[in-house]
């Protein structure tokens, strides 16, 4: 799940409770440079409130005004051309040198606040899914904004029966094929239709083994990225939910119990930082069996080497070529904040398959 979905959850739940209509803005295509890429979302209310960010604030005010029209009518496409002289035509002066297209959809009690409600339900269950949304209905019976949400072997939700009948097979096929995010033209019963295919991977699950004071900024930064965060520590005085951001799962847990506890929801990334050699060793023994995609231990290279020498031979075989230590990117700075920034950025880069260099440095 992107950070967008996490930000949009609370306003959507409030609107559902009050049975209020909202407008969902989804970025469906970009050309050139843009602040966000396809798949980014924001929500807007009839009162002009908005949550999320698509353009760094350069056109959100204008978008809120346009959303008011979508509150009373069908879904619509809004286009911003911020390239060169075209930028001046909008009067925005953003200088972003890109062109973006945004789909505005009404979310109402009648349509079950779909497709956003379905996407959020998948994220809550940590399920992989996909949304297919009609953007260009052409001459078909479909209407712009109709959508289905698919997961596993079936359709989780839809904006209505018409969308479910026309788009279900397409959505399930794209889910099986692990289709990339983007616009494409597909054939339905009565013609061709342009749809936005939006994969929904589950949010990254980060385990922080160690609940010391420096774990707090780690959890804060990971939460800002929309990750699910679990903090575990065997010390009751530190393993307290009130010390960490809302939404974090804080558990008092001995490392020997970690395998069973984490089996139902294993972490994608795990950071060991108890600052105690014996406790770190026990955590590494356990995590060698859990086998997260990314595993790191706080401290210098010699500390990593010592820990690898202390674990069992079986654990060492699992960990030796994949345990990160030191962790993070070389950004300079000292103290919990910069260390957390460096570490979380390093995990993000690793999971995304990036080197962590300066954006655009090679151009």
């Amino acid at each position: 799940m992107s950070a967008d979905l996490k930000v949009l959850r609370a306003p959507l739940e409030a609107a559902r409770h009050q049975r209020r209509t909202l407008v969902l803005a989804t970025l469906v295509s970009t050309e050139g440079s843009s602040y966000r890429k396809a798949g980014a979302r924001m929500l807007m209310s009839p009162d002009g409130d908005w949550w999320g960010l698509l353009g760094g604030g350069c056109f959100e005010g204008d978008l809120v005004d346009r959303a008011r029209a979508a509150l009373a009518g069908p879904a619509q496409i809004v286009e911003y051309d911020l390239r060169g002289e075209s930028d001046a035509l909008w009067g925005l002066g953003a200088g972003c040198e890109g062109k973006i297209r945004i789909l505005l959809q009404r979310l109402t009690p009648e349509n079950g606040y779909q497709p956003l409600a379905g996407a959020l339900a998948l994220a809550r269950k940590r399920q992989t899914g996909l949304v297919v949304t009609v953007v260009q209905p052409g001459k078909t019976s479909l209407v712009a904004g109709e959508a289905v949400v698919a997961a596993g072997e079936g359709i989780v939700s839809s904006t209505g029966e018409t969308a479910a009948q026309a788009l279900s097979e397409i959505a399930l096929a794209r889910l099986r094929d692990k289709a990339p995010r983007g616009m494409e033209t597909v054939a339905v019963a009565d013609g061709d239709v342009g749809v936005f295919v939006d994969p929904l991977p589950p949010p990254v699950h980060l385990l922080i083994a160690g609940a010391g004071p420096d774990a707090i900024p780690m959890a804060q930064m990971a939460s800002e990225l929309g990750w699910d965060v679990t903090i575990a520590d065997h010390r009751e005085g530190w393993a307290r939910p009130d010390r960490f951001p809302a939404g974090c799962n804080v558990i008092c847990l001995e490392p020997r119990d970690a395998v069973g506890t984490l089996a139902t929801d294993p972490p994608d990334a795990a950071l060991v930082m108890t600052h105690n050699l014996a406790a770190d060793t026990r955590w590494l023994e356990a995590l060698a069996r859990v086998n997260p995609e990314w595993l790191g231990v706080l401290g210098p290279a010699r500390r990593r080497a010592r820990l690898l020498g202390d674990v069992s031979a079986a654990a060492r075989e699992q960990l030796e070529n994949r345990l990160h230590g030191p962790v993070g990117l070389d950004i300079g700075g000292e103290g919990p904040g910069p260390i957390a920034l460096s570490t979380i950025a390093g995990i993000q880069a690793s999971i995304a398959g990036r080197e962590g260099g300066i954006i655009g440095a090679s151009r």
Side-chain angles (χ1 to χ4, degrees):
M1 177 181 65
S2 72
D4 291 342
L5 288 178
K6 192 168 187 177
V7 169
L8 303 186
R9 178 177 291 161
L12 179 69
E13 291 303 319
R16 293 177 77 168
H17 180 72
Q18 300 166 4
R19 297 186 62 79
R20 299 177 68 210
T21 296
L22 296 173
V23 172
L24 174 67
T26 305
L27 209 167
V28 295
S29 69
T30 67
E31 296 178 35
S33 176
S34 62
Y35 182 78
R36 302 294 305 277
K37 300 301 181 185
R41 301 174 179 86
M42 64 180 285
L43 272 179
M44 293 165 284
S45 76
D47 301 327
D49 295 325
W50 48 283
W51 304 267
L53 203 59
L54 298 185
C58 58
F59 56 73
E60 273 75 1
D62 181 77
L63 192 61
V64 168
D65 290 338
R66 292 169 179 269
R68 291 191 174 96
L71 283 165
Q76 57 183 275
I77 286 286
V78 176
E79 187 175 284
Y80 294 101
D81 192 341
L82 307 175
R83 300 170 298 183
E85 293 181 3
S86 299
D87 190 5
L89 295 177
W90 290 105
L92 298 174
C96 294
E97 296 299 326
K99 180 180 179 180
I100 64 174
R101 300 177 72 219
I102 298 168
L103 176 68
L104 301 180
Q105 298 166 270
R106 283 195 304 163
L107 304 183
T108 69
E110 290 71 30
N111 67 22
Y113 298 93
Q114 300 299 338
L116 183 58
L120 283 168
L122 292 183
R124 191 176 293 110
K125 298 175 183 177
R126 294 189 50 76
Q127 284 185 279
T128 298
L130 177 140
V131 182
V132 173
T133 305
V134 176
V135 178
Q136 298 166 326
K139 297 180 180 180
T140 69
S141 58
L142 289 164
V143 176
E146 291 189 293
V148 295
V149 181
E153 298 298 322
I155 298 302
V156 174
S157 61
S158 71
T159 53
E161 185 176 343
T162 302
Q165 290 179 346
L167 301 174
S168 292
E169 288 187 13
I170 294 166
L172 290 171
R174 297 304 182 273
L175 183 62
R176 287 192 298 270
D177 296 342
K178 298 181 180 180
R181 179 175 288 111
M183 290 289 302
E184 61 174 284
T185 300
V186 299
V188 295
D190 52 352
D192 291 342
V193 58
V195 299
F196 178 58
V197 177
D198 189 12
L200 298 172
V204 172
H205 180 197
L206 171 66
L207 169 69
I208 301 175
D214 56 343
I216 297 172
M218 292 281 187
Q220 290 171 334
M221 292 183 190
S223 295
E224 285 291 326
L225 293 178
W227 297 358
D228 288 341
V229 181
T230 296
I231 302 101
D233 201 299
H234 64 284
R235 296 161 289 196
E236 292 184 4
W238 281 5
R240 301 197 328 263
D242 62 287
R243 298 180 61 239
F244 292 92
C248 290
N249 178 30
V250 184
I251 51 178
C252 187
L253 180 70
E254 289 285 348
R256 63 175 177 270
D257 299 323
V259 176
T261 301
L262 299 173
T264 57
D265 188 13
D268 303 296
L271 176 64
V272 178
M273 49 180 297
T274 70
H275 300 291
N276 178 277
L277 285 168
D280 281 1
T281 300
R282 294 195 299 273
W283 272 109
L284 290 176
E285 288 277 358
L287 290 169
R289 298 169 60 192
V290 175
N291 196 30
E293 178 182 343
W294 185 96
L295 176 60
V297 60
L298 215 59
R302 62 181 180 274
R303 190 173 190 275
R304 171 186 177 276
R306 179 171 177 178
L307 287 166
L308 285 173
D310 290 343
V311 298
S312 66
R316 189 179 310 116
E317 184 177 356
Q318 284 284 332
L319 299 173
E320 196 160 17
N321 295 321
R322 56 186 304 269
L323 178 64
H324 296 267
V327 296
L329 304 183
D330 184 5
I331 62 172
E334 298 180 353
I339 291 173
L341 177 60
S342 165
T343 302
I344 297 300
I347 298 172
Q348 168 64 36
S350 180
I351 289 175
R354 301 296 181 89
E355 294 296 324
I358 301 297
I359 295 174
S362 60
R363 294 200 296 268

